[in-house]
Every structure is written in structure tokens, then in C-alpha cells.
Amino acid sequence: MTQKLGTVVSGSVDGGVDVRLDAPVSVEDMAVGRYVTIEGQKQRFFGMITDVGLAVTDQQVSQSPPDLSDPFIAEVLAGTSTYGTLHVLPMLTIGGDAGLLEGPQPVKTIPSHFSLVNLASDEDMEMVFGKEDKERYWIGNPLDMETRLCLNLEEFVKRSNGIFGKSGTGKTFLTRILLIGMLQKSKAVNLIFDMHNEYGWEGSSEGSTHKVKALKQLFPSKVAVFTLDEENSRRRGVSTDFVVRIGFDEIEPEDMVLLRQTLNLTDQAIGAIYQMRRRFGKGWIESTLEMRDTEETRQLLRDLSIHESTFDNLRRGLEKVRRLPFIEPHVATDAVKSVLDYLGRGMNVVLEFGRHRDITAYILVANMLARRIYARYQERMEQAMAEDTTRPTPLVITIEEAHKFLNTEVATQTIFGTIAREMRKYNVTLLVIDQRPSGIDAEVMSQLGTKITCLLDNEKDVDSVLAGISGKSELKTVLSRLAAKQQALIFGHAVPMPVSFQPREYGTAESYRHFAPADAGQVDIEELWG
Amino acid sequence: MEERVGEVIEASTVAFTAQCYELYCLPPLGSLVSTRQGEVELYGIVHHAATGSLEPGRRPIARGRDEASEEDIYRSSPQLLKLLQSEFCALVVGHREGGEMRHYLPPQPARIHGFVYLCGPEEVREFSQSFGFLNLLLNAHLQTPPDELVAASLRRMGLAREDRHDFLVRAGRELALLIGDFNQLKSILGRLR
Ligand SMILES: Nc1ncnc2c1ncn2[C@@H]1O[C@H](COP(=O)(O)OP(=O)(O)OP(=O)(O)O)[C@@H](O)[C@H]1O
Ligand SMILES: [Mg+2]
């Protein structure tokens, strides 16, 4: 149902338009983040309410307030001498010279004086965001609306995307919802670096009492779970597909560079890493660690002009890596090949870290695997282009704690920085999840196609997420008014205009039935409802 | 049902004055009256009334010293009813031409000796469908304070309507938009009940 709210009284393209509310409309029923339509003379506008205000026609009204205990006076003054205002940021136009066929267009002008303003109806929203269909996936509902907010996932995965929000706002839940969508409605496959064991299989009951199912449980035939901690996975009853071990001899200097901060390596130690690699070849870490305190060693260090304290610093760091339980001197299985095999078959791979949740392990493994997998993608893509054969399946890599890989200091050196900057050149994109987006390099942030952000309470984080978007200060208000949980603002490439929404409910038996309907190809869903 | 209340004795574009047929038979302050001018029906709102000597130079004198009641004065001097007269002034607030009600001034003033009628409820309802006349009332330069006049006319129109409360609220809102001075608005609203 459309409801007339009021009329446009002033405005500009830059600052948005001011709307005077009609008498019967109470400001208390308005909310920032809601959508309105404005009937201009030649086109319809779509806009978001970004502020709600109170106004009086005459200063005397505030100075000598009328006796509102008299219902007659109150009724007369509401909406006349005292009235509500809205500030609306127009975002899209429909119709007009561009014609109806072209669909919604970005705004280049504003509606004329006294254009009527209505609350956007469910049909209006559907017209802008589209209906659920083969490519469009229902991610949630616009705040206070029945309509389903649908995202074109084919478009979504074409670029790297980000999910932000402070701790406990629902990033992980939202990510699960999106992963399920991609798994069903996009042609992309996913590789998920699952630091907290939340995406493959239901989390351990430690800490939380309520377990929610994860991808492999809902789509066993489409998801493979890799683990770095076999024992932990077994104890949790996870059916794993592959146990990942990392060989010492597989670690390259580039993999160490990223660990600089977590291992407290000095600049000189980083330099020494490259020298050691050059000197000892593939087995450089073993060789470095084996060096005894002999004259021979000292001579070598002098030759390489590595200071003794630098050498100690490096060894301490390498020791820490060696102590990671999944590291072995040499490993016969090839985790990279195995991941690629699964991906090649259209399976999605979740890599669980088990108990190895310390950031060193996460950064090392994610970076090592991603770098190698990306290199293979690059080769295959170049080959496919040269020979005009089929290209590798688009790949989306999900990482949590993204700022560890993408902060300004390392973004230029890590594979993740490269992927984010090269867009989809080699059919690989990122889904980055972070609670401190201000920690992510600004250029990387600007490359993210679509951003979904839950509540953020740090000014710097808000600024970094909203950087470069038009109507930034207005959207800031909207963002800061999101609920502490399960509400988010989405904007960017995959949506025609920013919209705040409530992500779908995830975690009830009912919700699993919706996310994984019986025809989705999974076995024995009945069992899961128990 | 219209009731004839007098006859025009003075007329201009913006107002007319009428004399009553009977002493003291005056239409109330703020009531809607009409008079014809050819094909055009003129509407006025009574803003002023007076009773006095018929001849300008002769003032009435006190007569009741030996009478028991006021009525007895008139009874003992029946000629008084001929020597005194009541008259009222109406501000022209609209007209009807070709069936259409217009809330602005007519092309011609009223005619002298035109009969003046007090409008019945139906006509009042029709006239008060919209509030274009309020502006004329608010801006007239009259002896009667405009706040009083506006309030009186709206109160009277309200009496002719079943939706009296809604009507007054609508009128109040219209006034709120017309009047810039909030204290004046409050003063009128306070007189509407
Ligand atoms: N879509 C949803 N459906 C149901 N519950 C939700 C949803 N989104 C969030 N929640 C609730 O909010 C809680 C926190 O969500 P989640 O674990 O996704 O937060 P997070 O942002 O990933 O936090 P952290 O930064 O600590 O990892 C969940 O345990 C759940 O109770
Ligand atoms: Mg989380």
C-alpha cells in the first residue's frame, strides 16, 4: 500500500531534498533508511530517508508553546504551524526521457517543487531490485518491508566484495547466507579460509549453546571440508575430505613477508630471508634452522653481511613457524592440487583451522594456498585465452580478518592485494570479512565492488567503508542507526542503490528448509531437521 | 429557507449597509447574508450593526424615569419605533454567478433597495465548502477586530454543519497557513469553541 507522506519543498542534487510531512503523518512513524518514491513531473524518483526533523512556521511557536492539552488546538497545529520534515536522498529515477525500458537510472536532477512523496511500496522495491529468480537470490528484507531484497549473484561475484561490521553484528551469518546463494545461483566456486570453523560444519559448542548448521551439512554433495587439525575435526564429528599439511620446503620468502608483523621480524630479517633462500634453495628454512653456532656460520653471515641479532630474530620467527602442528619437513600430499581438483569439479572447499586459530597459522596458510591457487588460475586463464578454450570456473576466496592481509603495509605484497586490485582478470575474486575496515588499504577498499556493512561504531571504520560513495554523510546516519545485530546496509556494484536490510533468518529448522530446498541435490535433509 | 432581514441603503464594491424592517431585528455578528444584483448573488458577512435615531441630528433622550419597565417606554411612546432604526454592515466576501460559488469580489456592488436575506443552513454549507473568504476577512480594515470577526463567522458556519468539529479543525488549519503571527492564530483558535 502506498501512503502519501508529504511534498517536496526544497533541495539540491548534492544535498538531497527536504520534504514537508502532511498533517496526518507522524514523525514517529518515519525512520531513517526507509525508502520513498517521489512523483516528479516527468519521472519518478527513488530515495532514502536520511533524516527526520521537526519544524515550526514561526519562532513564536517555540517561544510560547500553545496549550496542546486542548485537543482542538493540538489537532489544528499538527502539520500546519508545527510540522514534521524528512530529508530524502534521491538515488534513482524511473521513467522520463530515458524511457521505461532502460530501467532505473542514477539521479542527475531532483523532483520539482511540491512533488508528492510516498512511502515506497513492496512493488516499487521489487521493480528496482528485481524478483527472486535463477540469478537473483533473496538475501533479506529491506527494513520494515515485506519485499524480498534480491541480489544478482552473477554480477556480485564479478568483483571482489566486502562484509563489515563490528564483532557480533552478524557478519558470519551473512557470509553463510551469501555463500549458500553463490553455491546455488552463481557459476562460481568458493574457497573459504575458515579461521573459526564456522562455515564447513557446525561450530563446536564451546562458548555458545546454539549450534547452527553450515555448508557441508546442507549441501554435502557440493562442499568439501579440508582441515588443518584432523583431531579437532574428528572430535566435532565433521566428515572431512582432506587433511592439509604444509611442508617446510614449500614455504617461500613471500609467505614469510606477510608474517612480518605477527612474528615481529625486522626489516633486516626480511632481507635475510631472501638471502637464505638464494643461498640454500628450496630447503632454506631447514638449513637456516640447522645452522650451529660455529665459525663456519659466522663466516657465512659475514659473507652475506647479516648481523647476528638479525639472524637471531629470523631464527626465532622460523622456530615459531616450525612449531605450528601442521608443519612438517616434507609433505607427500599436495594440498593445492587437491583444492584445485575439487574446485575443478565444481565443489566448494572450506578449509577449517581447528584449534590452530592463531593468526600466524591463518595468514601463513591462507596466503600460501591462495598464492599457488591463483598462480594456477592465472596460467589456465592465459592458456584459455591464447587457445580460446574454456576458462577456469570463477573462484571466490573468502577470508576473515582481512586487514591482516590487506593493510596498507602488506597489501602490495600479498596475493590478496593483487587479487583485489586486478579485479576478475583471472576469474578470481575475494569476499573479505572484517571488523576493522579502516585497517584495510584504501585502494583495496575502493576496488571492492559491493560492500555490505553491519553496524560499525568507530568513526574511522565508518569513513573507510563509505569512502567515495555519493551521499556519504547521509548514509553515515543510516549506518549508525542500524540495530546491533542482523541489520546491514548494502551498496555498490550489485545493487541499483544503497539499501538497509535485515538479512534472512539463519539457524532454524525452517530456515534450513528454505536455504536448501529438497531439489537442491543434497541428501537426506530430513535428518538435519531433527 | 432564507429569511429577509433588510434592504440595502448604501453599497460599495467591498461592503454594503442594510436597514432592518423591524427595530432590533438584526442578523447576528458573523452571519452570512446575501443580496441580488441582477444575475449575480452577492454574499456578505455581517461585521457591524447599530441602532440609532432615524434623523442624524436628533439624538434619543432618556424617557423611563416614571415607567416601571423598559417595555413600558416603548408602549407609552409608540412613535419611537418610527423614529429609531437598526442597520447592519456586511463585508462582501464572494458571489455566485451562473451557479458557481466564488470567494472573491463581484464585478458590481449591491443595488440600493436590494433585499437582504439571512442565508439558510444549506446555503451556508455550500458557501463554506472552501475557505477562500478567510483572506478577505483577515485583511479588511474594519472597526471590528478581524480576530473577532473571523471567529464569529466560523462559529456560525459551524452551527450549520453536522461535522462541526472537523469543519472547525479544517478552518483552523487554513488559518494556520494564512496567518504568520502565531499569537494572532492562537487568539482566533481560542475564540472558535
Ligand atoms: N541472519 C541471522 N539469522 C539469525 N541470527 C543472526 C543472524 N545474523 C546475526 N544473528 C545473531 O547474531 C549473532 C552474531 O552473529 P555473527 O556470529 O555472524 O557475528 P560476527 O559479526 O561474525 O561476529 P564476529 O566479528 O565476532 O565474528 C549470532 O550468533 C546470531 O545469534
Ligand atoms: Mg564472525
Side-chain angles (χ1 to χ4, degrees):
Chain A
M1 205 204 76
T2 56
Q3 187 194 347
K4 181 179 175 238
L5 294 184
T7 47
V8 171
V9 289
S10 66
S12 71
V13 174
D14 231 16
V17 299
D18 294 305
V19 175
R20 180 181 171 133
L21 283 180
D22 282 356
V25 182
S26 165
V27 282
E28 296 179 25
D29 292 333
M30 298 294 101
V32 292
R34 292 201 63 178
Y35 266 98
V36 296
T37 57
I38 305 175
E39 308 294 333
Q41 274 170 12
K42 301 189 170 165
Q43 52 207 331
R44 288 183 82 200
F45 292 76
F46 257 85
M48 188 191 255
I49 299 178
T50 57
D51 202 4
V52 183
L54 294 174
V56 293
T57 43
D58 181 358
Q59 280 319 306
Q60 286 173 8
V61 181
S62 338
Q63 280 158 18
S64 62
D67 175 17
L68 291 185
S69 64
D70 179 339
F72 172 70
I73 303 271
E75 207 176 337
V76 169
L77 296 186
T80 53
S81 298
T82 62
Y83 56 95
T85 60
L86 298 181
H87 190 74
V88 171
L89 189 63
M91 305 238 176
L92 291 178
T93 57
I94 295 175
D97 293 341
L100 276 169
L101 290 176
E102 288 177 35
Q105 301 289 315
V107 283
K108 295 198 184 65
T109 179
I110 51 170
S112 45
H113 263 112
F114 311 124
S115 298
L116 293 191
V117 180
N118 300 305
L119 268 188
S121 67
D122 288 330
E123 297 80 56
D124 291 330
M125 292 304 271
E126 203 164 82
M127 176 160 65
V128 172
F129 289 98
K131 267 200 178 84
E132 215 178 345
D133 59 20
K134 276 222 319 289
E135 276 137 26
R136 270 180 239 273
Y137 173 68
W138 170 32
I139 58 168
N141 303 64
L143 292 189
D144 304 316
M145 297 196 81
E146 303 283 311
T147 344
R148 294 182 166 188
L149 177 67
C150 297
L151 196 59
N152 185 327
L153 289 176
E154 272 309 314
E155 279 305 310
F156 184 72
V157 299
K158 279 183 185 166
R159 305 220 187 158
S160 290
N161 302 301
I163 296 181
F164 307 105
K166 62 176 186 165
S167 180
T169 47
K171 297 184 295 298
T172 299
F173 274 60
L174 194 51
T175 307
R176 274 198 211 98
I177 294 170
L178 284 170
L179 288 171
I180 289 176
M182 288 190 248
L183 193 137
Q184 290 179 314
K185 298 205 169 173
S186 78
K187 291 180 197 78
V189 285
N190 292 278
L191 169 60
I192 300 138
F193 291 109
D194 187 5
M195 187 171 182
H196 303 296
N197 314 316
E198 298 168 305
Y199 298 108
W201 204 264
E202 62 194 10
S204 60
S205 51
E206 295 160 31
S208 88
T209 45
H210 178 65
K211 289 187 190 180
V212 289
K213 308 211 177 286
L215 300 184
K216 173 114 178 171
Q217 290 161 293
L218 296 175
F219 304 94
S221 64
K222 286 189 171 177
V223 178
V225 174
F226 282 38
T227 182
L228 272 177
D229 185 352
E230 196 179 6
E231 192 196 320
N232 173 273
S233 299
R234 199 174 329 114
R235 206 158 39 74
R236 287 171 34 238
V238 183
S239 78
T240 52
D241 298 80
F242 191 92
V243 178
V244 176
R245 299 247 157 278
I246 305 278
F248 239 178
D249 53 358
E250 295 174 45
I251 300 177
E252 295 289 338
E254 288 83 357
D255 300 320
M256 294 299 301
V257 170
L258 261 193
L259 296 175
R260 216 196 109 148
Q261 280 168 324
T262 51
L263 295 181
N264 270 325
L265 298 178
T266 60
D267 282 347
Q268 290 85 346
I270 298 293
I273 286 175
Y274 285 95
Q275 284 172 304
M276 290 303 182
R277 174 69 171 87
R278 241 174 281 136
R279 172 79 202 214
F280 295 115
K282 216 166 173 315
W284 67 279
I285 299 188
E286 287 259 62
S287 310
T288 308
L289 287 174
E290 269 162 21
M291 283 162 73
R292 295 284 153 262
D293 189 10
T294 58
E295 183 49 38
E296 198 186 331
T297 301
R298 278 189 286 275
Q299 184 56 45
L300 175 67
L301 293 183
R302 269 196 299 278
D303 290 350
L304 299 173
S305 48
I306 295 173
H307 200 272
E308 212 163 307
S309 62
T310 303
F311 187 62
D312 286 344
N313 177 256
L314 173 60
R315 273 173 62 124
R316 268 197 303 277
L318 292 177
E319 268 306 336
K320 244 190 225 170
V321 173
R322 172 149 74 180
R323 280 199 300 273
L324 292 173
F326 50 85
I327 298 275
E328 289 168 8
H330 179 76
V331 175
T333 55
D334 185 346
V336 171
K337 182 172 174 303
S338 186
V339 170
L340 285 166
D341 283 348
Y342 276 99
L343 296 179
R345 277 186 275 139
M347 297 273 285
N348 300 274
V349 176
V350 179
L351 175 59
E352 292 196 338
F353 282 67
R355 285 160 302 174
H356 313 318
R357 297 181 182 188
D358 79 83
I359 199 72
T360 314
Y362 190 63
I363 296 179
L364 178 70
V365 174
N367 195 54
M368 280 186 69
L369 295 184
R371 201 151 54 77
R372 288 162 179 75
I373 289 166
Y374 185 71
R376 291 302 314 279
Y377 256 77
Q378 194 169 348
E379 272 168 37
R380 279 162 50 184
M381 194 70 183
E382 275 161 3
Q383 189 183 355
M385 287 195 296
E387 298 167 12
D388 206 15
T389 52
T390 31
R391 297 160 183 222
T393 326
L395 171 64
V396 178
I397 300 179
T398 299
I399 44 167
E400 295 242 6
E401 306 282 345
H403 66 273
K404 300 277 185 193
F405 305 90
L406 295 169
N407 60 58
T408 311
E409 227 170 289
V410 299
T412 50
Q413 302 158 39
T414 71
I415 183 59
F416 296 104
T418 311
I419 298 175
R421 278 191 310 272
E422 291 189 336
M423 312 248 282
R424 55 177 318 221
K425 205 160 140 203
Y426 300 113
N427 263 9
V428 181
T429 56
L430 295 180
L431 179 59
V432 301
I433 302 165
D434 209 312
Q435 33 176 306
R436 298 301 313 269
S438 61
I440 297 177
D441 183 55
E443 197 207 330
V444 171
M445 283 301 278
S446 73
Q447 294 290 347
L448 298 180
T450 306
K451 292 176 192 144
I452 307 181
T453 177
C454 303
L455 185 64
L456 286 167
D457 52 11
N458 181 300
E459 186 79 12
K460 280 205 301 213
D461 290 328
V462 172
D463 282 335
S464 106
V465 166
L466 296 177
I469 183 171
S470 74
K472 177 177 168 183
S473 66
E474 284 85 356
L475 289 173
K476 227 173 179 172
T477 319
V478 174
L479 175 53
S480 67
R481 296 294 181 276
L482 291 177
K485 246 180 212 176
Q486 211 184 343
Q487 284 195 358
L489 174 71
I490 180 171
F491 54 92
H493 182 69
V495 281
M497 61 184 175
V499 58
S500 44
F501 71 103
Q502 172 154 33
R504 283 167 78 171
E505 187 67 29
Y506 185 96
T508 59
E510 170 85 6
S511 72
Y512 299 140
R513 227 166 311 173
H514 286 298
F515 281 114
D519 56 271
Q522 83 291 354
V523 279
D524 218 1
I525 186 94
E526 286 298 334
E527 198 181 72
L528 297 171
W529 296 346
Chain B
M1 249 305 292
E2 303 185 313
E3 173 193 350
R4 201 191 317 164
V5 285
E7 208 173 295
V8 176
I9 53 166
E10 201 181 318
S12 76
T13 307
V14 295
F16 56 83
T17 303
Q19 195 176 66
C20 296
Y21 290 118
E22 304 265 350
L23 193 63
Y24 298 130
C25 278
L26 286 162
L29 178 68
S31 52
L32 187 68
V33 293
S34 68
T35 182
R36 287 199 78 79
Q37 203 281 325
E39 290 299 296
V40 181
E41 186 92 28
L42 268 69
Y43 290 96
I45 281 180
V46 177
H47 66 84
H48 188 256
T51 298
S53 170
L54 202 51
E55 286 169 59
R58 291 177 59 173
R59 275 157 56 95
I61 49 170
R63 293 169 184 262
R65 178 192 290 268
D66 301 322
E67 305 287 354
S69 74
E70 289 177 16
E71 309 305 314
D72 290 343
I73 302 174
Y74 288 94
R75 222 167 289 131
S76 351
S77 324
Q79 78 282 9
L80 278 179
L81 294 177
K82 303 278 176 240
L83 295 174
L84 294 175
Q85 55 126 358
S86 292
E87 59 179 55
F88 59 90
C89 308
L91 185 76
V92 180
V93 287
H95 63 283
R96 193 210 307 261
E97 193 170 10
E100 234 179 288
M101 194 66 90
R102 289 172 180 153
H103 287 137
Y104 52 86
L105 295 180
Q108 304 284 340
R111 288 157 60 102
I112 303 299
H113 298 303
F115 293 161
V116 179
Y117 301 90
L118 182 63
C119 297
E122 195 144 321
E123 208 161 11
V124 170
R125 276 196 292 277
E126 203 187 335
F127 184 81
S128 58
Q129 290 298 5
S130 71
F131 296 103
F133 61 92
L134 286 176
N135 210 20
L136 285 171
L137 287 186
L138 283 168
N139 293 318
H141 300 284
L142 304 168
Q143 260 174 295
T144 319
D147 298 6
E148 289 289 345
L149 182 60
V150 168
S153 69
L154 288 172
R155 276 198 311 267
R156 289 212 64 79
M157 287 175 184
L159 291 177
R161 307 186 72 105
E162 273 168 21
D163 61 345
R164 180 167 173 272
H165 176 81
D166 286 353
F167 170 78
L168 290 179
V169 169
R170 270 188 288 126
R173 292 176 166 285
E174 188 72 23
L175 288 170
L177 299 178
L178 285 174
I179 299 174
D181 177 353
F182 186 62
N183 287 332
Q184 187 188 12
L185 176 66
K186 273 205 295 194
S187 133
I188 299 181
L189 294 182
R191 287 168 162 77
L192 280 184
R193 282 158 305 168

